[in-house]
Amino acid sequence: MKRVLFTPGPTEVPSEVLEAMAKPLIHHRTDEYRQYFLETTRLMQEHLATTHPVLTLSCSGSGAMEAAVVNLLSAGDQAIVVEGGKFGARWGMIAQAYGVTVHTVSVEWGRVATVEEVESALAAHPSAKVMFVTHSETSTGALFPVHDMARVAKARGVATVVDAVTSFGVYDLHFDRSDVDGLVWGSQKGMMIPPGLGFVCLSPRGWDLVKESKLPKYYWNLAKAKGALEKGDTPFTPAISLVLAARAAMLLLAKEGRDPVFARHQRNGDATRKAVRALGLSLFAEVPSNTLTAVHVPQGVDGGAVVKTMEQRYGVKIAGGQDRLKGKIFRLGHIGHYDEGDILRLVGAFEASLIDHGASAQPGAGVRAAQESFRSSKPSAAARVG
Amino acid sequence: MKRVLFTPGPTEVPSEVLEAMAKPLIHHRTDEYRQYFLETTRLMQEHLATTHPVLTLSCSGSGAMEAAVVNLLSAGDQAIVVEGGKFGARWGMIAQAYGVTVHTVSVEWGRVATVEEVESALAAHPSAKVMFVTHSETSTGALFPVHDMARVAKARGVATVVDAVTSFGVYDLHFDRSDVDGLVWGSQKGMMIPPGLGFVCLSPRGWDLVKESKLPKYYWNLAKAKGALEKGDTPFTPAISLVLAARAAMLLLAKEGRDPVFARHQRNGDATRKAVRALGLSLFAEVPSNTLTAVHVPQGVDGGAVVKTMEQRYGVKIAGGQDRLKGKIFRLGHIGHYDEGDILRLVGAFEASLIDHGASAQPGAGVRAAQESFRSSKPSAAARVG
């Protein structure tokens, strides 16, 4: 039996990426490495539609979030955190750990904050310097309208930093056309490589804030990282094999093309959502993201047992809920290297396991709905952008 | 032509380790991963002869250094930094970035600080809380007597934190028998895996300091990492493929056995040093480490050209000097997965390239001296411990 990851990260790693990591290690202070590193950076810039530097850090996505906080703020500064899940809450915890005063726009998990709610918070806290928002909230599967939020923040002179950990490679982030001042993401989601790299991209306004920032930093010093990047270098020894993996992955994304990548995620998301509904289940997220489909565990069904059977009997690994959602939702990930056949595998295992555990779903209904969804949608369907 | 790394890190990665990274990725919130992670941790504990938790962070060795600083100290605290090279200086820069008052015991690069010099500094700064020292200074190849230094520090109530980045896997650090309170290291040296993981191990006294520490931290929160480790977990998504690489590497080290590993590095170091001397060159470090052999570039020879030719013509990559030592020394790394044949390859390429660039070395003298060194030493020769 094959074993395939359909978790909201880490995601499946393409064989081209595994191969890049299996080669004998090269040294990072060589022209060969510098060329690969600069090429990877350029491919990420193209993917984000930005001319601004993309900084590669050796850390998880949370490290990249911390880097954004400590480089843009000073102790005593005020920040707004938009929170509707575990990762939104993390922005607040990081900022508070560094003595930043946090004003939270909190919505029930599964909901998304509206632009109006954000506008009220901005009005109520005119001294706020930065607003931290999550694009695709991994804990709930909800997609936040970060670009609209950034627009209203900018109008009030507040910089917006977006956690794009679970949306890079899935949604068109079109950085330079947006009002977003900072993007952070990690390697193990839409980039389709193992965890261990974090990335940050700042706008010129973001870099202005870096100059004002007084929070202590050494490893996270982005100004140093920017200076080093100009020479194809990093301030500290980079996670070389992961950078070479990132190169292989970005070459795959570039070959497929930005719009086709985003459209594929839209089609995979649509098909999964339709399959879930056809099984008589309801979606958890108010505005579901194309990254993962969060589904209410139906009454009378043991959610943990469904997840376990999917893994052990069908070789398909999905995730359950985290924290307060433990046992209450399923999270079916479809970020990254998945095609129509993969989605049928995912949905097929999901419906089979549900039925194994006494759910009243109609056998075959999920897969059939997914097939119909693929058949009726154009492969080039434009993706929504939250 | 084969290409082999003899840099002071990253070092050669054994094929067993590359294979571990080339397998399809597994998820980290699974019993399978937890078992691998706990096994890796246990193997590192055995290697260090410690019962205290070994914490795995997704970062470079510098990140692990920063984690030690921000977990043991508070702003305004005093610390002693023993510095005789680039990495000793890094301790001071990190501590200062966080508002710690640093008293530096500075020795010329290439020299090692003596226990007496450290004793004077301890006497002069009785309020110091922590002393930071480098075991094997990568920039100079010098080995510091950290265990003796830790003993005198402990006698004055000062905790010692050792940068073992370039000595883990090379020297017996025997943590629980030592007076050291904190060890940090990275993945790409004696552990023989690619860069991207940092490690920290603290003594009970070190953990007491963690409770007092008020420096801001989130990603580097070691108390959280300790709590998570008890469940086979990490606070943030771990660099999964590197952890599996670490497991493969630690299995290799355990199979070879601690003492044979340290003795092999002693023999490799001895042979390299004898070869260099037989070529008429002088060692740079006052007390040379078994990790790398730093050698003065002889007068009239272009050091950079020698390094380049070694790489391009002989496939052997060594390092030159860093910062103020650029062009002044060669650094021949022999940390990790190297045997007698590898050392002959290294020394052979070095002497050939020197001669190519006009050095007056006698052809064959280096390799012959290395051979004699191996022949006259016992494979089980006990290693010195700095």
Side-chain angles (χ1 to χ4, degrees), chain A residues 26-40 56 232-234 237-241 243-244:
Chain A
I26 62 170
H27 197 277
H28 55 294
R29 303 229 192 273
T30 55
D31 290 338
E32 185 185 7
Y33 174 79
R34 283 185 201 103
Q35 203 177 318
Y36 288 148
F37 178 48
L38 289 172
E39 181 187 11
T40 311
T56 300
D233 203 355
T234 40
T237 305
I240 298 168
S241 47
V243 170
L244 300 181

Side-chain angles (χ1 to χ4, degrees), chain B residues 133-145:
Chain B
V133 296
T134 314
H135 191 191
S136 179
E137 173 59 60
T138 317
S139 62
T140 68
L143 187 74
F144 285 64

Side-chain angles (χ1 to χ4, degrees), chain B residues 157-193:
Chain B
V158 175
T160 300
V161 176
V162 172
D163 165 357
V165 170
T166 307
S167 62
F168 179 95
V170 177
Y171 283 104
D172 188 354
L173 296 163
H174 55 75
F175 189 62
D176 288 2
R177 280 193 292 119
S178 78
D179 294 313
V180 173
D181 295 298
L183 274 182
V184 303
W185 68 100
S187 52
Q188 77 278 20
K189 311 264 180 172
M191 202 183 268
M192 315 176 291
I193 77 170

Side-chain angles (χ1 to χ4, degrees), chain A residues 75-370:
Chain A
D77 274 354
Q78 297 191 33
I80 292 172
V81 168
V82 181
E83 190 247 281
K86 181 176 166 161
F87 293 92
R90 184 161 291 177
W91 275 128
M93 288 193 271
I94 297 171
Q96 280 166 340
Y98 281 89
V100 171
T101 301
V102 171
H103 307 292
T104 307
V105 179
S106 191
V107 296
E108 204 189 327
W109 286 29
R111 273 202 58 219
V112 295
T114 62
V115 175
E116 291 69 33
E117 285 168 304
V118 163
E119 183 99 62
S120 304
L122 289 160
H125 306 291
S127 303
K129 214 177 215 175
V130 179
M131 178 171 76
F132 295 99
V133 294
T134 315
H135 192 189
S136 179
E137 172 59 59
T138 317
S139 62
T140 68
L143 187 74
F144 284 64
V146 291
H147 290 94
D148 290 339
M149 289 172 171
R151 200 180 54 245
V152 300
K154 190 180 190 178
R156 290 180 182 267
V158 175
T160 300
V161 176
V162 171
D163 164 357
V165 169
T166 307
S167 61
F168 178 95
V170 177
Y171 283 104
D172 187 354
L173 297 163
H174 56 75
F175 190 60
D176 288 1
R177 281 193 290 122
S178 79
D179 295 313
V180 173
D181 295 298
L183 274 182
V184 304
W185 69 100
S187 52
Q188 78 276 19
K189 311 263 181 173
M191 202 183 269
M192 315 175 292
I193 78 170
L197 292 182
F199 305 91
V200 183
C201 184
L202 300 180
S203 72
R205 163 86 179 118
W207 284 109
D208 285 344
L209 288 174
V210 172
K211 283 181 209 142
E212 293 171 25
S213 162
K214 289 190 187 69
L215 281 176
K217 53 192 138 297
Y218 189 80
Y219 192 76
W220 305 128
N221 191 320
L222 296 181
K224 268 196 189 168
K226 187 186 176 193
L229 176 61
E230 283 158 19
K231 294 172 284 180
D233 203 355
T234 40
F236 310 107
T237 305
I240 298 168
S241 47
L242 293 177
V243 170
L244 300 181
R247 173 177 173 264
M250 291 310 303
L251 284 171
L252 287 177
L253 287 181
K255 193 175 168 194
E256 183 174 358
R258 297 170 79 250
D259 290 341
V261 166
F262 306 136
R264 179 167 53 77
H265 281 89
Q266 177 73 47
R267 293 179 82 230
N268 288 349
D270 281 339
T272 307
R273 288 185 287 268
K274 283 182 187 155
V276 164
R277 289 202 184 101
L279 291 167
L281 273 57
S282 62
L283 300 182
F284 181 72
E286 183 186 15
V287 182
S289 164
N290 289 338
T291 60
L292 64 113
T293 299
V295 183
H296 283 285
V297 173
Q299 263 198 324
V301 171
D302 178 345
V306 170
V307 172
K308 213 172 195 171
T309 297
M310 280 183 78
E311 183 177 1
Q312 294 178 347
R313 185 158 170 193
Y314 304 103
V316 166
K317 170 98 185 140
I318 64 162
Q322 292 169 297
D323 297 352
R324 70 184 75 166
L325 296 178
K326 220 177 161 95
K328 296 188 179 163
I329 60 169
F330 303 111
R331 290 181 299 149
L332 287 66
H334 31 75
I335 310 165
H337 201 56
Y338 303 104
D339 63 9
E340 295 189 19
D342 290 316
I343 299 300
L344 299 188
R345 178 193 292 265
L346 166 65
V347 170
F350 187 50
E351 69 172 42
S353 183
L354 278 167
I355 291 165
D356 290 345
H357 288 283
S360 60
Q362 203 197 330
V367 171
R368 194 165 57 243

